[in-house]
Amino acid sequence: PNMGALLEIEVTAIPASVPHGGTFTITGVVDEEEMGGGSKTLRRKSMARGSIDNVLTVLRRLGLNPHDFDLHINFPGGIPIDGPSAGISMATAIASAIRQIPVDNKIAMTGEVSIHGKVKPVGGVVAKVEAAFQAGATKVIIPKENWQEIFAGLNGVQVIPVETVEEVLAIALNMTAGEPSYGVG
């Protein structure tokens, strides 16, 4: 509670040997964790794999055709993640790998992705913005529904509220909808 952490996401995109026959592999995700001890324990499953499905649907709708690539999505460090909060980060990392456009490492982001490309609110945004700032981020992209006036006057970090994945990609990759993807053969 009241703590944020930055997660690194790595993605490689290799053209699939068969059109639309691409696969995806996720590594570094702790699929299940147990919290507590003694007589009370809580088991929590990661939702990262389900979040990837949402992200791939949205990217496909935006014309990036992730199914034309073998994608390897890695979360270095094996940190437990809930998945949905990393939705826009995963979308950005996958689009970055497909388009071969690097993401500025001074941008941090959080937000869940709906199958319609909307950026949905997440919990703990104040702590997440604080963690991003402490890690050296100069821009933090958050869901518009999580916007708070406290974010307006921060020195050293710009908090940017967004409503769609298209807005996220425009900010993080300087990419607009409808642009053809690179590397599709």
Side-chain angles (χ1 to χ4, degrees):
N2 300 320
M3 289 183 64
L6 255 58
L7 300 174
E8 183 181 344
I9 301 174
E10 303 174 317
V11 178
T12 61
I14 300 167
S17 55
V18 176
H20 308 300
T23 61
F24 74 88
T25 303
I26 302 174
T27 54
V29 172
V30 175
D31 284 327
E32 191 172 318
E33 67 177 317
E34 213 170 275
M35 297 180 288
S39 62
K40 266 191 153 177
T41 60
L42 172 67
R43 268 207 144 120
R44 191 173 83 113
K45 283 199 164 280
S46 171
M47 294 170 48
R49 292 182 197 284
S51 294
I52 291 281
D53 289 332
N54 288 359
V55 164
L56 295 177
T57 297
V58 170
L59 292 178
R60 191 166 166 217
R61 205 181 93 241
L62 294 177
L64 286 174
N65 300 321
H67 298 298
D68 287 338
F69 296 88
D70 291 326
L71 300 170
H72 185 158
I73 302 133
N74 184 41
F75 295 84
I79 299 170
I81 63 166
D82 67 356
S85 290
I88 64 172
S89 301
M90 290 187 284
T92 300
I94 292 168
S96 167
I98 290 171
R99 293 286 310 274
Q100 300 176 11
I101 301 171
V103 179
D104 182 346
N105 68 355
K106 297 287 187 180
I107 296 176
M109 59 190 76
T110 187
E112 183 173 351
V113 173
S114 81
I115 61 169
H116 299 292
K118 301 294 183 200
V119 178
K120 308 300 279 176
V122 295
V125 171
V126 172
K128 291 173 182 179
V129 168
E130 173 76 18
F133 175 70
Q134 289 178 357
T138 56
K139 289 182 182 177
V140 182
I141 301 170
I142 66 167
K144 187 172 184 177
E145 290 181 51
N146 283 122
W147 176 259
Q148 298 177 37
E149 276 307 309
I150 190 172
F151 299 138
L154 296 178
N155 285 327
V157 66
Q158 177 187 14
V159 180
I160 306 167
V162 296
E163 292 182 280
T164 67
V165 171
E166 290 168 299
E167 290 175 77
V168 174
L169 298 179
I171 294 163
L173 301 176
N174 197 24
M175 194 173 124
T176 58
E179 289 183 19
S181 59
Y182 296 138
V184 178

